[in-house]
Amino acid sequence: DTAVSQTPKYLVTQMGNDKSIKCEQNLGHDTMYWYKQDSKKFLKIMFSYNNKELIINETVPNRFSPKSPDKAHLNLHINSLELGDSAVYFCASSQDNRANEQYFGPGTRLTVT
Amino acid sequence: SQKIEQNSEALNIQEGKTATLTCNYTNYSPAYLQWYRQDPGRGPVFLLLIRENEKEKRKERLKVTFDTTLKQSLFHITASQPADSATYLCALEGGTGFQKLVFGTGTRLLVSP
């Protein structure tokens, strides 16, 4: 069983479109995250939810909107996609929002043309 | 400004030797530090966590040290194997009180037979 899963794995779309990436964890964790890894492999946190509540919101354009319908799911919706949004997006989860290891999903490679 | 520095150049070593990777940081006072492994096309995988009051942590062939005076962590892999070849990321607790991890850019390790 995959602990943290993301769909889709690859996403190719044109500038200006709106797209969503879905994430699910079956670990029973309370906290979930979205990260962006750019072409230089720099991994940066975007958002974190704890028990469906937003607790970390980095300086991300408001075209990015996370949604957590329940503790096991954290989706990322992106409006008006731009070329600079091309990256690999990783979802992760941890037991809670304290010092715990994070479990990462396989990533979604987004390419905006 | 805050910085986390890992060797950007790949580290090449021979099988059986000890690999030592460095993570230096400035203008942070992390309560803990984590190390992750990332293989191409995959999400990071947690390896070790060390807290500010711990000098050293071990797990099988892995050892991590944390020197809060030098603002440095060293990550060692003893008796390295070709299967250890990957990118290794250090991640600091970002000081928000929540588990916000700030990642370094990673060091690629290549272990040759």
Side-chain angles (χ1 to χ4, degrees):
Chain A
D1 269 352
T2 306
V4 181
S5 58
Q6 295 178 228
T7 53
K9 186 157 175 66
Y10 300 97
L11 189 50
V12 181
T13 188
Q14 290 186 323
M15 281 175 56
N17 284 349
D18 303 338
K19 290 292 178 187
S20 291
I21 307 172
K22 296 188 174 184
C23 177
E24 177 180 359
Q25 54 96 2
N26 63 4
L27 298 167
H29 288 169
D30 286 346
T31 309
M32 295 184 73
Y33 311 81
W34 276 112
Y35 286 87
K36 178 180 180 180
Q37 189 168 45
D38 62 24
S39 56
K40 294 183 179 177
K41 307 297 183 190
F42 181 54
L43 188 65
K44 189 171 181 351
I45 189 164
M46 301 171 71
F47 303 103
S48 175
Y49 273 73
N50 186 60
N51 282 319
K52 301 195 299 174
E53 182 185 339
L54 182 67
I55 56 171
I56 294 174
N57 184 352
E58 289 296 281
T59 48
V60 177
N62 57 16
R63 298 182 296 103
F64 290 78
S65 50
K67 277 212 173 77
S68 182
D70 55 58
K71 272 185 4 175
H73 296 85
L74 180 61
N75 303 322
L76 183 65
H77 188 77
I78 316 170
N79 289 327
S80 304
L81 278 155
E82 300 177 358
L83 291 176
D85 297 332
S86 296
V88 181
Y89 292 85
F90 287 101
C91 176
S93 73
S94 62
Q95 187 170 349
D96 53 44
N97 62 357
R98 288 169 291 178
N100 288 301
E101 60 192 272
Q102 294 188 14
Y103 291 78
F104 283 78
T108 296
R109 181 174 291 277
L110 171 65
T111 303
V112 182
T113 61
Chain B
S1 63
Q2 294 176 316
K3 262 191 200 174
I4 304 171
E5 290 182 330
Q6 295 185 254
N7 288 349
S8 55
E9 292 183 11
L11 178 64
N12 288 279
I13 64 166
Q14 271 201 312
E15 184 175 7
K17 302 287 187 189
T18 296
T20 299
L21 284 68
T22 305
C23 177
N24 294 304
Y25 59 91
T26 52
N27 295 322
Y28 280 105
S29 296
Y32 57 86
L33 187 150
Q34 300 185 16
W35 282 88
Y36 286 79
R37 168 185 173 140
Q38 187 172 24
D39 291 284
R42 293 179 173 262
V45 174
F46 172 80
L47 296 173
L48 282 165
L49 180 153
I50 186 165
R51 299 180 192 276
E52 59 181 339
N53 60 350
E54 298 173 314
K55 295 286 186 198
E56 182 180 297
K57 209 80 172 281
R58 290 175 187 258
K59 179 182 171 184
E60 297 170 355
R61 294 184 296 112
L62 309 181
K63 184 179 89 170
V64 63
T65 62
F66 191 9
D67 189 326
T68 55
T69 303
L70 288 179
K71 295 188 180 293
Q72 180 181 77
S73 175
L74 298 178
F75 178 78
H76 306 273
I77 306 175
T78 57
S80 58
Q81 304 165 0
D84 295 326
S85 299
T87 296
Y88 292 86
L89 304 167
C90 75
L92 274 59
E93 177 267 328
T96 64
F98 298 117
Q99 189 177 201
K100 173 186 165 182
L101 288 182
V102 183
F103 281 83
T105 49
T107 297
R108 192 161 165 234
L109 173 66
L110 296 168
V111 182
S112 49

